[in-house]
PDB file of all heavy atoms in Angstrom:
ATOM      1  N   ALA A  47      -7.112   7.548  20.029  1.00  0.00           N
ATOM      2  CA  ALA A  47      -7.348   8.916  19.539  1.00  0.00           C
ATOM      3  C   ALA A  47      -8.436   9.490  20.419  1.00  0.00           C
ATOM      4  O   ALA A  47      -9.518   8.903  20.522  1.00  0.00           O
ATOM      5  CB  ALA A  47      -7.784   8.917  18.085  1.00  0.00           C
ATOM      6  N   ASP A  48      -8.141  10.605  21.047  1.00  0.00           N
ATOM      7  CA  ASP A  48      -9.111  11.243  21.951  1.00  0.00           C
ATOM      8  C   ASP A  48      -9.684  10.235  22.953  1.00  0.00           C
ATOM      9  O   ASP A  48     -10.909  10.153  23.119  1.00  0.00           O
ATOM     10  CB  ASP A  48     -10.263  11.882  21.147  1.00  0.00           C
ATOM     11  CG  ASP A  48      -9.770  12.999  20.256  1.00  0.00           C
ATOM     12  OD1 ASP A  48      -8.707  13.565  20.561  1.00  0.00           O
ATOM     13  OD2 ASP A  48     -10.438  13.291  19.246  1.00  0.00           O
ATOM     14  N   ILE A  52      -8.975   3.288  18.442  1.00  0.00           N
ATOM     15  CA  ILE A  52      -9.427   3.232  17.039  1.00  0.00           C
ATOM     16  C   ILE A  52      -8.810   2.051  16.287  1.00  0.00           C
ATOM     17  O   ILE A  52      -9.199   1.764  15.158  1.00  0.00           O
ATOM     18  CB  ILE A  52      -9.172   4.559  16.282  1.00  0.00           C
ATOM     19  CG1 ILE A  52      -7.691   4.941  16.288  1.00  0.00           C
ATOM     20  CG2 ILE A  52     -10.021   5.673  16.857  1.00  0.00           C
ATOM     21  CD1 ILE A  52      -7.372   6.110  15.356  1.00  0.00           C
ATOM     22  N   GLY A  70     -12.224  -3.256   4.480  1.00  0.00           N
ATOM     23  CA  GLY A  70     -13.075  -2.720   5.541  1.00  0.00           C
ATOM     24  C   GLY A  70     -13.861  -1.526   5.037  1.00  0.00           C
ATOM     25  O   GLY A  70     -13.480  -0.884   4.053  1.00  0.00           O
ATOM     26  N   ALA A  71     -14.956  -1.215   5.726  1.00  0.00           N
ATOM     27  CA  ALA A  71     -15.794  -0.078   5.355  1.00  0.00           C
ATOM     28  C   ALA A  71     -15.081   1.217   5.743  1.00  0.00           C
ATOM     29  O   ALA A  71     -14.042   1.198   6.411  1.00  0.00           O
ATOM     30  CB  ALA A  71     -17.133  -0.184   6.091  1.00  0.00           C
ATOM     31  N   ASN A  72     -15.640   2.364   5.368  1.00  0.00           N
ATOM     32  CA  ASN A  72     -15.096   3.651   5.803  1.00  0.00           C
ATOM     33  C   ASN A  72     -15.031   3.669   7.331  1.00  0.00           C
ATOM     34  O   ASN A  72     -15.972   3.237   7.993  1.00  0.00           O
ATOM     35  CB  ASN A  72     -16.003   4.809   5.344  1.00  0.00           C
ATOM     36  CG  ASN A  72     -15.969   5.016   3.843  1.00  0.00           C
ATOM     37  OD1 ASN A  72     -16.998   5.147   3.209  1.00  0.00           O
ATOM     38  ND2 ASN A  72     -14.801   5.039   3.257  1.00  0.00           N
ATOM     39  N   GLY A  73     -13.927   4.168   7.844  1.00  0.00           N
ATOM     40  CA  GLY A  73     -13.799   4.328   9.290  1.00  0.00           C
ATOM     41  C   GLY A  73     -13.474   3.049  10.044  1.00  0.00           C
ATOM     42  O   GLY A  73     -13.507   3.018  11.278  1.00  0.00           O
ATOM     43  N   SER A  74     -13.131   1.967   9.324  1.00  0.00           N
ATOM     44  CA  SER A  74     -12.882   0.687  10.013  1.00  0.00           C
ATOM     45  C   SER A  74     -11.463   0.580  10.583  1.00  0.00           C
ATOM     46  O   SER A  74     -11.163  -0.356  11.321  1.00  0.00           O
ATOM     47  CB  SER A  74     -13.147  -0.478   9.056  1.00  0.00           C
ATOM     48  OG  SER A  74     -12.347  -0.355   7.901  1.00  0.00           O
ATOM     49  N   GLY A  75     -10.583   1.522  10.204  1.00  0.00           N
ATOM     50  CA  GLY A  75      -9.228   1.510  10.774  1.00  0.00           C
ATOM     51  C   GLY A  75      -8.135   1.196   9.762  1.00  0.00           C
ATOM     52  O   GLY A  75      -6.967   1.047  10.135  1.00  0.00           O
ATOM     53  N   LYS A  76      -8.482   1.127   8.466  1.00  0.00           N
ATOM     54  CA  LYS A  76      -7.495   0.749   7.448  1.00  0.00           C
ATOM     55  C   LYS A  76      -6.337   1.764   7.380  1.00  0.00           C
ATOM     56  O   LYS A  76      -5.174   1.374   7.413  1.00  0.00           O
ATOM     57  CB  LYS A  76      -8.164   0.629   6.065  1.00  0.00           C
ATOM     58  CG  LYS A  76      -9.317  -0.369   6.022  1.00  0.00           C
ATOM     59  CD  LYS A  76      -9.924  -0.480   4.641  1.00  0.00           C
ATOM     60  CE  LYS A  76     -10.459   0.807   4.045  1.00  0.00           C
ATOM     61  NZ  LYS A  76     -11.586   1.402   4.794  1.00  0.00           N
ATOM     62  N   SER A  77      -6.694   3.055   7.277  1.00  0.00           N
ATOM     63  CA  SER A  77      -5.623   4.062   7.166  1.00  0.00           C
ATOM     64  C   SER A  77      -4.816   4.143   8.455  1.00  0.00           C
ATOM     65  O   SER A  77      -3.609   4.407   8.418  1.00  0.00           O
ATOM     66  CB  SER A  77      -6.209   5.438   6.862  1.00  0.00           C
ATOM     67  OG  SER A  77      -6.879   5.373   5.647  1.00  0.00           O
ATOM     68  N   THR A  78      -5.474   3.911   9.572  1.00  0.00           N
ATOM     69  CA  THR A  78      -4.754   3.919  10.855  1.00  0.00           C
ATOM     70  C   THR A  78      -3.704   2.808  10.842  1.00  0.00           C
ATOM     71  O   THR A  78      -2.563   3.007  11.280  1.00  0.00           O
ATOM     72  CB  THR A  78      -5.748   3.731  12.024  1.00  0.00           C
ATOM     73  OG1 THR A  78      -6.746   4.737  11.918  1.00  0.00           O
ATOM     74  CG2 THR A  78      -5.060   3.823  13.372  1.00  0.00           C
ATOM     75  N   LEU A  79      -4.078   1.647  10.300  1.00  0.00           N
ATOM     76  CA  LEU A  79      -3.129   0.530  10.218  1.00  0.00           C
ATOM     77  C   LEU A  79      -1.950   0.906   9.302  1.00  0.00           C
ATOM     78  O   LEU A  79      -0.788   0.642   9.635  1.00  0.00           O
ATOM     79  CB  LEU A  79      -3.856  -0.722   9.694  1.00  0.00           C
ATOM     80  CG  LEU A  79      -3.003  -1.955   9.474  1.00  0.00           C
ATOM     81  CD1 LEU A  79      -2.329  -2.401  10.770  1.00  0.00           C
ATOM     82  CD2 LEU A  79      -3.849  -3.103   8.909  1.00  0.00           C
ATOM     83  N   LYS A  81      -0.830   3.925   8.645  1.00  0.00           N
ATOM     84  CA  LYS A  81      -0.012   4.932   9.339  1.00  0.00           C
ATOM     85  C   LYS A  81       0.843   4.299  10.425  1.00  0.00           C
ATOM     86  O   LYS A  81       1.973   4.705  10.673  1.00  0.00           O
ATOM     87  CB  LYS A  81      -0.902   6.023   9.952  1.00  0.00           C
ATOM     88  CG  LYS A  81      -1.494   6.951   8.913  1.00  0.00           C
ATOM     89  CD  LYS A  81      -2.351   8.002   9.578  1.00  0.00           C
ATOM     90  CE  LYS A  81      -3.194   8.723   8.554  1.00  0.00           C
ATOM     91  NZ  LYS A  81      -4.376   9.362   9.121  1.00  0.00           N
ATOM     92  N   GLU A 204      -5.525   2.120  -0.801  1.00  0.00           N
ATOM     93  CA  GLU A 204      -6.515   2.563  -1.789  1.00  0.00           C
ATOM     94  C   GLU A 204      -5.851   2.963  -3.097  1.00  0.00           C
ATOM     95  O   GLU A 204      -6.036   4.096  -3.577  1.00  0.00           O
ATOM     96  CB  GLU A 204      -7.323   3.754  -1.243  1.00  0.00           C
ATOM     97  CG  GLU A 204      -8.078   3.504   0.038  1.00  0.00           C
ATOM     98  CD  GLU A 204      -9.334   2.657  -0.152  1.00  0.00           C
ATOM     99  OE1 GLU A 204      -9.641   2.289  -1.297  1.00  0.00           O
ATOM    100  OE2 GLU A 204      -9.987   2.343   0.845  1.00  0.00           O
ATOM    101  N   HIS A 236     -11.563  -0.829  -0.017  1.00  0.00           N
ATOM    102  CA  HIS A 236     -12.917  -1.274   0.301  1.00  0.00           C
ATOM    103  C   HIS A 236     -13.632  -1.741  -0.957  1.00  0.00           C
ATOM    104  O   HIS A 236     -14.844  -1.888  -0.972  1.00  0.00           O
ATOM    105  CB  HIS A 236     -13.745  -0.254   1.095  1.00  0.00           C
ATOM    106  CG  HIS A 236     -13.585   1.170   0.699  1.00  0.00           C
ATOM    107  ND1 HIS A 236     -14.359   1.774  -0.228  1.00  0.00           N
ATOM    108  CD2 HIS A 236     -12.729   2.101   1.129  1.00  0.00           C
ATOM    109  CE1 HIS A 236     -13.993   3.038  -0.348  1.00  0.00           C
ATOM    110  NE2 HIS A 236     -12.985   3.255   0.457  1.00  0.00           N
TER     111      HIS A 236
HETATM  112  N1  ATP B 442      -6.944  11.773  15.142  1.00  0.00           N
HETATM  113  C1  ATP B 442      -8.118  11.167  15.315  1.00  0.00           C
HETATM  114  N2  ATP B 442      -8.960  11.547  16.294  1.00  0.00           N
HETATM  115  C2  ATP B 442     -10.154  10.942  16.487  1.00  0.00           C
HETATM  116  N3  ATP B 442     -10.592   9.926  15.743  1.00  0.00           N
HETATM  117  C3  ATP B 442      -9.811   9.503  14.765  1.00  0.00           C
HETATM  118  C4  ATP B 442      -8.541  10.079  14.489  1.00  0.00           C
HETATM  119  N4  ATP B 442      -7.990   9.433  13.442  1.00  0.00           N
HETATM  120  C5  ATP B 442      -8.875   8.486  13.069  1.00  0.00           C
HETATM  121  N5  ATP B 442      -9.970   8.518  13.860  1.00  0.00           N
HETATM  122  C6  ATP B 442     -11.136   7.636  13.766  1.00  0.00           C
HETATM  123  O1  ATP B 442     -10.681   6.294  13.698  1.00  0.00           O
HETATM  124  C7  ATP B 442     -11.541   5.533  12.849  1.00  0.00           C
HETATM  125  C8  ATP B 442     -10.698   4.818  11.793  1.00  0.00           C
HETATM  126  O2  ATP B 442     -10.212   5.768  10.873  1.00  0.00           O
HETATM  127  P1  ATP B 442      -9.390   5.352   9.565  1.00  0.00           P
HETATM  128  O3  ATP B 442      -9.019   6.620   8.863  1.00  0.00           O
HETATM  129  O4  ATP B 442      -8.303   4.435   9.957  1.00  0.00           O
HETATM  130  O5  ATP B 442     -10.498   4.548   8.748  1.00  0.00           O
HETATM  131  P2  ATP B 442     -10.433   3.937   7.283  1.00  0.00           P
HETATM  132  O6  ATP B 442     -10.855   2.525   7.393  1.00  0.00           O
HETATM  133  O7  ATP B 442      -9.137   4.227   6.645  1.00  0.00           O
HETATM  134  O8  ATP B 442     -11.581   4.754   6.551  1.00  0.00           O
HETATM  135  P3  ATP B 442     -11.732   5.267   5.029  1.00  0.00           P
HETATM  136  O9  ATP B 442     -12.081   4.056   4.231  1.00  0.00           O
HETATM  137  O10 ATP B 442     -12.878   6.228   5.130  1.00  0.00           O
HETATM  138  O11 ATP B 442     -10.464   5.938   4.617  1.00  0.00           O
HETATM  139  C9  ATP B 442     -12.557   6.502  12.285  1.00  0.00           C
HETATM  140  O12 ATP B 442     -13.754   6.388  13.027  1.00  0.00           O
HETATM  141  C10 ATP B 442     -11.924   7.858  12.497  1.00  0.00           C
HETATM  142  O13 ATP B 442     -12.907   8.870  12.692  1.00  0.00           O
END
Side-chain angles (χ1 to χ4, degrees):
D48 296 337
I52 58 170
N72 290 133
S74 57
K76 303 181 302 297
S77 299
T78 305
L79 177 60
K81 287 180 193 158
E204 301 285 358
H236 40 91

